[in-house]
Amino acid sequence: MFSVDDSIVAVATPPGRGGIGIVRISGPAVHDIARAILTHCRPLAPRLATYTRVRHAASAANADEVVATFFPGPHSYTGQDVLEISAHGSPVVLDGIVCAAIAAGARLAEPGEFTLRAFLNGKRDLVRAEAVADLVDAATPLQARVAFDQLQGTLTDRIAALDAILFDLVARLEASLDFPDEGYHFVEPAETARSIGRVIAAIDELLADADRGRMIREGATVVIAGRTNVGKSSVFNMLAGVERAIVTAIAGTTRDLVTETMAIEGLAVTLVDTAGWRETPDVVEREGVMRGERARAVAALTLVVIDQSEPHTVEDEQLLDSTAARRRLVVGNKIDLVAGRLKPAPASVGVAASLGVAGAGFSQADISVSAKTGEGFPALRAAIARELTGSDSLEDTARVSNTRHIVLLEQARTSLSAAESAAAAGDTPEEFVLTDLQAARARLDEIVGVRTSDDVLRHIFERFCIGK
Ligand SMILES: Nc1nc2c(ncn2[C@@H]2O[C@H](COP(=O)(O)OP(=O)(O)OP(=O)(O)O)[C@@H](O)[C@H]2O)c(=O)[nH]1
Ligand SMILES: [Mg+2]
């Protein structure tokens, strides 16, 4: 069980130096701790910023000038008395304040413990508590928007509405069971089936953009592949917006995997540049090629770069074959060298590749770009986002994005389908329908945290930062 009876303290601002750093204290002893560590004599006025000083634990010297704000429970973030001390953002000063608070009776907070207390005290349900961590972790504006939506309770309200329908059904079925002798059904089986069908439809609607939501929340790894010298590193640098990978005219320049995290159309993408694909006697390069293959195997999407200005080679073909079954985009690079002129097709080139931009003999690309001029990159970014999310409408925020919620919604849906079929059959005993409906409700309850095991809670709050 989690304890909420003691007082916890942590630095709430990020590690390192800053203009201001904030120490947060929550718990029943906040008043006593405030009296012990602040020089302010009178009790702090609720929710008013008070200029005061912190007394240093060991020396009794003043550690810093601070602004202290007292939030009395239950109208505080955690639902308990909370004290926030804004000090100068030096790690030394902030640690000193934390130590002073500990000397006065607080203990160091675990990661996410403030938000855990908010959850345990009923200040926010589990979906909204998780949204706090998502918002703090958001690396793109789209991620922040999805998290904020959930923080505002959009998903919670949806689930509450579904649960209300199920609650009503369960109550009526139970009434029918409780008064069997009356021979009266409080709800007709056909009507039960219809109501369940409506809940299923609503869950399907939520799940419809779940993949997109998950992609927005978690981001994805995208690997750039291609034979040597087609311009993989140039495409990588262009997408990253920085000259990160080495670019030269020498085939076999890139050896190690080069990784950069960036926002592409609001998605957090980890882009990986790899060594050019070719058979090589060079052991170092061969290791690079192998690493590239391994990276492709786990990527959500592979960009297969081909050189549009040249006929495709055996290596191009091998790579196009080996990636055909995976999610991929064929990116035709160097169109600046192609524009306006058609190259003659070499006699040896197969039919399959005869539809390219530059005419027969040039591989067909999904998107044509020039890493030299930047042409085609907006379309490439849009195509990457579309491939990753399966959707054009990246502007809409997804309602469900957290895998935990998605799994529970799917489980609830399975139970509801069973209940729907049982109810629609008409002659199934009400107990069976009831059991399935209760199972579905249990899953919905787990999403918002009405019944969630300590293990699950521990797992969820572990990934928060300290002080949140
Ligand atoms: N004209 C033109 N040249 C390009 C373009 N993209 C890359 N290059 C040139 O092609 C050469 C190879 O580019 P890289 O980006 O190093 O190619 P790579 O595929 O990473 O090569 P390896 O790492 O050796 O496999 C360099 O000389 C680049 O300047 C392009 O769009 N247009
Ligand atoms: Mg390279």
Side-chain angles (χ1 to χ4, degrees):
M1 245 344 264
F2 302 101
S3 138
V4 292
D5 301 333
D6 49 1
S7 297
I8 52 176
V9 60
V11 179
T13 37
R17 278 163 220 295
I20 292 176
I22 296 176
V23 173
R24 219 186 207 178
I25 309 167
S26 171
V30 157
H31 263 301
D32 298 337
I33 295 169
R35 227 187 341 268
I37 68 173
L38 300 177
T39 57
H40 197 73
C41 324
R42 279 160 288 131
L44 294 167
R47 292 179 296 278
L48 275 185
T50 306
Y51 174 77
T52 174
R53 282 163 198 267
V54 167
R55 241 194 298 267
H56 202 286
S59 64
N62 291 334
D64 193 15
E65 303 169 332
V66 299
V67 171
T69 317
F70 171 58
F71 301 90
H75 304 295
S76 67
Y77 184 75
T78 60
Q80 304 180 300
D81 284 355
V82 170
L83 179 65
E84 280 187 10
I85 301 174
S86 304
H88 293 110
S90 142
V92 182
V93 170
L94 298 176
D95 284 349
I97 297 174
V98 169
C99 288
I102 289 174
R107 78 165 160 81
L108 211 52
E110 303 284 337
E113 201 170 357
F114 290 91
T115 310
L116 174 65
R117 287 190 172 190
F119 166 71
L120 293 173
N121 288 327
K123 294 297 290 184
R124 52 185 66 227
D125 65 77
L126 200 49
V127 170
R128 294 175 61 206
E130 288 171 297
V132 170
D134 283 355
L135 190 56
V136 172
D137 285 346
T140 75
L142 188 58
Q143 282 179 326
R145 240 169 52 214
V146 170
F148 188 68
D149 254 17
Q150 289 173 12
L151 189 66
Q152 295 290 84
T154 326
L155 180 57
T156 305
D157 292 348
R158 286 281 201 120
I159 288 172
L162 298 184
D163 195 50
I165 301 176
L166 295 181
F167 177 77
D168 179 58
L169 277 174
V170 165
R172 293 209 233 173
L173 285 169
E174 277 177 348
S176 299
L177 284 174
D178 287 347
F179 306 102
D181 300 336
E182 325 254 312
Y184 175 73
H185 286 283
F186 286 80
V187 55
E188 287 305 316
E191 193 195 324
T192 307
R194 266 198 306 279
S195 301
I196 299 171
R198 275 198 293 279
V199 178
I200 292 177
I203 290 182
D204 283 344
E205 201 189 306
L206 281 176
L207 286 173
D209 54 8
D211 282 346
R212 199 164 59 89
R214 184 154 43 188
M215 187 58 75
I216 293 171
R217 178 171 181 265
E218 294 172 7
T221 300
V222 175
V223 167
I224 304 185
R227 68 170 163 84
T228 52
N229 247 359
V230 290
K232 296 179 297 302
S233 301
S234 307
V235 168
F236 176 89
N237 289 344
M238 198 59 145
L239 284 171
V242 284
E243 296 297 312
R244 174 86 168 73
I246 299 173
V247 169
T248 75
I250 300 162
T253 301
T254 305
R255 303 290 178 88
D256 277 324
L257 299 180
V258 184
T259 303
E260 189 76 34
T261 301
M262 65 201 66
I264 293 184
E265 308 276 313
L267 300 175
V269 167
T270 303
L271 194 64
V272 185
D273 183 22
T274 64
W277 164 253
R278 67 170 172 185
E279 302 282 347
T280 167
D282 183 328
V283 283
V284 181
E285 193 180 349
R286 212 159 51 219
E287 175 63 26
V289 171
M290 259 162 51
R291 287 180 185 209
E293 279 174 29
R294 285 202 290 271
R296 279 209 302 283
V298 297
L301 174 67
T302 303
L303 305 183
V304 182
V305 180
I306 53 177
D307 185 338
Q308 292 281 70
S309 71
E310 288 183 350
H312 71 195
T313 66
V314 179
E315 282 99 351
D316 286 326
E317 221 165 284
Q318 284 172 339
L319 207 62
L320 287 168
D321 281 350
S322 68
T323 53
R326 308 189 60 84
R327 197 147 15 142
R328 72 158 188 210
L329 270 177
V330 180
V331 182
N333 188 33
K334 308 199 188 181
I335 44 161
D336 56 293
L337 298 178
V338 174
R341 57 203 168 102
L342 285 180
K343 292 211 170 176
S348 62
V349 170
V351 185
S354 64
L355 299 164
V357 169
F362 298 84
S363 302
Q364 170 77 326
D366 297 316
I367 299 278
S368 293
V369 301
S370 165
K372 190 175 174 191
T373 66
E375 187 185 344
F377 273 81
L380 176 58
R381 287 195 182 86
I384 291 172
R386 200 164 45 237
E387 282 297 316
L388 288 176
T389 62
S391 158
D392 280 325
S393 56
L394 272 169
E395 283 309 300
D396 299 347
T397 65
R399 282 154 296 199
V400 197
S401 59
N402 184 320
T403 310
R404 192 184 75 84
H405 306 161
I406 295 169
V407 170
L408 288 168
L409 277 174
E410 283 167 349
Q411 288 172 352
R413 194 198 184 287
T414 307
S415 299
L416 289 172
S417 289
E420 187 187 29
S421 324
D427 51 2
T428 321
E430 277 144 346
E431 282 95 333
F432 289 104
V433 182
L434 198 53
T435 308
D436 285 324
L437 288 183
Q438 273 155 347
R441 285 198 68 207
R443 298 290 87 80
L444 297 185
D445 282 353
E446 258 183 81
I447 296 178
V448 291
V450 175
R451 34 185 150 179
T452 307
S453 73
D454 282 4
D455 281 350
V456 172
L457 290 181
R458 209 165 275 124
H459 179 74
I460 290 172
F461 285 95
E462 256 168 19
R463 81 178 183 91
F464 278 64
C465 28
I466 302 249
K468 192 68 237 179

